[in-house]
Amino acid sequence: MQVLTFKDYEELSANTAGFIADAIADNPSLTLCMASGSTPALTCDFLVKKLKDDKTDYSKFSFIGLDEWAGLPPTNTGSCHYFFKTKIFEPLKLRSSQYYLFNAQAANLQKECRAMDQLIIDKGGIDIMLVGIGMNGHIGFNEPGTSFTALSHVAELEEITKSVGQKYFDGPVELGKGITIGFGHLMNTKKVFLMANGSKKAEVIKKTIEGPVTESFPASIMQKHTDGFILIDEEAGSLLKDQ
Ligand code: GLP
């Protein structure tokens, strides 16, 4: 695992987008799996711009959404689906056969999980994952206590995840479960980027990098990934020993 620190959110986002855009240019048929959220929002804008400016062929890459709030329709403006539709799929005019997201309204969410596991196998694995980190150290909806070998699964969400998650919605919404790609897939992914910005993430970033590797603090799994990168701005890194 390597830690790369950038001056501020803008530099962090531009560089993260650069890593992904370059990877797509090098391997036009790669499979990218991404989290939505406040953290990667600007990265998405830079990524779209860079792919277009560089005239990169992005017609062949595959996109997989990391997670979704269970029960939400894709039209809900707080859903991960809506985020990707407006920030990636529409601006890049991706074909619908190019992207894969959990159907969080499926009657059988377990079936949805097995279909995602099979899709990842069919794609020959994920090439790049870009994930964020929650205030309890979660990645996707891999909440504290999730096995480091878990595949796609439905997770009961902690109170903090449900309360912090309210920020994505126009008004109060009842959140209960999440559906997510698991750590078994993260560990098999060729390259993983975990990004974080702002002083509110400083504590969880310190635990991720300097704390013990334990399933009770999910993001600590990054220490075990041989091609894992922690991408942060100076504020998120402000509590690290070497700062
Ligand atoms: C959410 C999502 C994660 C996301 C994380 C951080 O609950 N399930 O995929 O990475 O929390 O979100 P943000 O970037 O908005 O801080």
Side-chain angles (χ1 to χ4, degrees):
M1 180 189 77
Q2 284 183 55
V3 181
L4 301 180
T5 307
F6 301 95
K7 191 163 80 42
D8 53 23
Y9 179 54
E10 181 141 358
E11 269 197 28
L12 167 69
S13 305
N15 280 279
T16 306
F19 294 143
I20 296 174
D22 291 348
I24 296 174
D26 287 349
N27 175 11
S29 56
L30 69 67
T31 298
L32 168 69
C33 173
M34 255 187 86
S36 58
S38 317
T39 316
L42 187 57
T43 301
C44 291
D45 300 344
F46 278 124
L47 178 63
V48 166
K49 184 171 181 334
K50 187 163 168 55
L51 288 172
K52 286 184 176 176
D53 286 353
D54 293 355
K55 299 197 174 12
T56 304
D57 176 10
Y58 52 80
S59 65
K60 294 187 198 72
F61 90 99
S62 300
F63 183 101
I64 296 179
L66 179 69
D67 56 359
E68 185 59 279
W69 306 96
L72 282 197
T75 47
N76 186 308
T77 54
S79 69
C80 304
H81 196 130
Y82 189 85
F83 174 96
F84 289 129
K85 180 175 131 180
T86 49
K87 296 201 77 72
I88 302 269
F89 307 156
E90 286 179 350
L92 287 179
K93 295 193 174 63
L94 296 190
R95 287 167 283 111
S96 57
S97 58
Q98 239 179 310
Y99 52 83
Y100 308 86
L101 301 168
F102 285 116
N103 173 5
Q105 290 195 301
N108 187 340
L109 289 179
Q110 295 305 330
K111 216 168 135 193
E112 226 14 59
C113 290
R114 300 295 71 82
M116 181 60 85
D117 292 338
Q118 190 56 50
L119 173 83
I120 294 170
I121 293 170
D122 293 346
K123 293 272 163 207
I126 297 167
D127 295 292
I128 292 188
M129 253 196 208
L130 173 60
V131 302
I133 181 169
M135 297 309 287
N136 57 3
H138 73 216
I139 288 178
F141 281 128
N142 290 272
E143 293 281 54
T146 307
S147 162
F148 280 169
T149 58
L151 298 179
S152 303
H153 60 279
V154 177
E156 206 61 61
L157 302 178
E158 289 198 345
E159 278 314 315
I160 183 153
T161 302
K162 292 189 261 189
S163 61
V164 174
Q166 296 296 323
K167 69 177 173 174
Y168 304 119
F169 301 93
D170 296 335
V173 33
E174 204 174 316
L175 301 170
K177 293 181 179 167
I179 181 166
T180 186
I181 285 174
F183 284 144
H185 294 303
L186 179 140
M187 286 306 287
N188 283 331
T189 294
K190 292 197 187 101
K191 201 183 272 283
V192 181
F193 296 111
L194 182 152
M195 74 181 300
N197 68 286
S199 52
K200 63 185 181 305
K201 294 283 173 78
E203 191 67 47
V204 287
I205 282 300
K206 185 176 175 63
K207 281 193 189 167
T208 300
I209 296 168
E210 296 173 0
V213 177
T214 165
E215 288 174 353
S216 57
F217 192 77
S220 63
I221 195 173
M222 289 299 290
Q223 294 181 37
K224 283 160 60 83
H225 199 286
T226 48
D227 212 358
F229 293 81
I230 309 290
L231 309 177
I232 50 176
D233 68 357
E234 285 178 4
E235 284 187 8
S238 58
L239 297 178
L240 294 175
K241 270 200 233 109
D242 295 341
Q243 293 301 298

